[in-house]
Every structure is written in structure tokens, then in C-alpha cells.
Amino acid sequence: YIAPEVPIIKSNPNDETIIKLVFMGRLGQEKGLKTFIQSMSGSAWNLMELHIYGSGPDEEVLKQIINQSELETKCFFHGRQAHDYILEQLPLYDVLVLPSIWYENTPLTIVEAAFAGIRILCSDWGGVGELATYCGGEYLFNPEDKKSTHDAINMLKADILSGKQIKRDI
């Protein structure tokens, strides 16, 4: 069954000037969160904040990077939470971030984000990029290329701030 293409009317639901990004998952090197945060310049954080749900071996390293980069007012840790709670919270955000630096097969967080009606900012490697493309509302980047990351973020910001609707066929 292929559903008709239906635009999801949700660009910035709270009419806030802050674009809320969310990462949910294991805080490990393979997820690319460290690389993602380090690749963003100070100006890239304008109008954005990142909420991090999860735990793992890179948690303390990520906190140190955020402190050293003076991003404490832009990046927030929520710890590991129950799956049901995360699904309730997901629609409150604007964008799922999944900057994986390894070839994941079927990252279900992308499907959950799509059903929550939020955009997807993710690595274009392997199953991550493929699944995001199938879901729609995706902004893909090469996690090893700062320019690629910045271009995806700038396109994402422009679309959200202009009110561009997400077109999705799930």
C-alpha cells in the first residue's frame, strides 16, 4: 500500500525562532554526534539548539566538548529515557539529527521521526540516508565534510524559517 503524498503541516509549531534538534540513541563514537558538534561553527548554532536523549561511552566526552565550545546554552542532555516517553516528546522538536559515521542498516529512529512529523537531518551513508530519503523531509550530509554539514543545516534552516511544508509518503 502506497499512501498518497500528503504534506505534513508542521514547520515550526510553536512559532519560536529557535529550531529544536533532537538526537536519540546510544552515545557512542559510531553515532557521529561528536563529529557533528565539532563540525559546526559558532554561527551555525544561531537559532538552533540540540537536545540529546541517551547514554553511552561518549557521554562525558560530549559534555566536555560542549563545555569547551561554550555550547551549554545550545546543547541539553536528557539522559536515557523510556521509549514511550521519547515518542511522546518527539513531536515537540523540529528535526531529528542522526549523523552516523558507520553504515547502519535500518535506523528506526528515522521512521519514528517521520511519523512524528519532523524533519530528518542525517548522514547520507548507508541505510541512514536511504531510509531518510524514503521517508521524505530529509536533509543529507557527509559527516566527514564540514561544508556538506553546513550546507544541509543552512537548507534546513531556510526551509523551516520560510514555512516550507514537509512532503512525505509513508
Side-chain angles (χ1 to χ4, degrees), residues 3 9 12 20 27-28 33 43-44 57 67 77 79 84 134 136 146 150 154 169:
I9 302 170
N12 204 346
K20 295 179 180 177
L27 302 181
L33 199 53
S43 64
N67 287 337
F77 285 87
D84 289 344
Y134 289 139
K146 287 183 180 183
H150 284 268
N154 288 337
D169 181 3

Side-chain angles (χ1 to χ4, degrees), residues 13-102:
N14 301 321
D15 294 326
E16 296 176 359
T17 55
I18 299 297
I19 298 169
K20 295 179 180 177
L21 285 67
V22 62
F23 172 89
M24 52 187 196
R26 183 174 183 274
L27 302 181
Q29 181 180 353
E30 72 282 359
K31 293 298 185 177
L33 199 53
K34 176 182 168 185
T35 305
F36 178 76
I37 292 169
Q38 289 176 322
S39 72
M40 292 180 50
S41 66
S43 64
W45 287 102
N46 290 346
L47 305 177
M48 290 193 330
E49 60 186 34
L50 174 63
H51 294 260
I52 302 168
Y53 290 86
S55 63
D58 273 9
E59 185 170 351
E60 290 307 314
V61 171
L62 289 168
K63 287 179 179 178
Q64 288 175 358
I65 290 168
I66 288 166
N67 287 337
Q68 291 168 353
S69 303
E70 299 179 354
L71 293 173
E72 301 93 336
T73 62
K74 298 287 185 179
C75 298
F76 307 95
F77 285 87
H78 299 281
R80 185 175 179 165
Q81 300 292 330
H83 187 246
D84 289 344
Y85 176 77
I86 299 249
L87 292 179
E88 289 173 9
Q89 296 302 303
L90 203 49
L92 302 177
Y93 295 98
D94 300 299
V95 183
L96 171 78
V97 176
L98 186 55
S100 274
I101 58 173
W102 73 303

Side-chain angles (χ1 to χ4, degrees), residues 88-133:
E88 289 173 9
Q89 296 302 303
L90 203 49
L92 302 177
Y93 295 98
D94 300 299
V95 183
L96 171 78
V97 176
L98 186 55
S100 274
I101 58 173
W102 73 303
Y103 291 88
E104 293 192 44
N105 187 19
T106 310
L108 293 179
T109 57
I110 289 176
V111 175
E112 292 167 340
F115 278 110
I118 66 175
R119 298 169 196 273
I120 303 161
L121 174 65
C122 66
S123 164
D124 62 1
W125 291 5
V128 175
E130 290 175 19
L131 189 56
T133 300

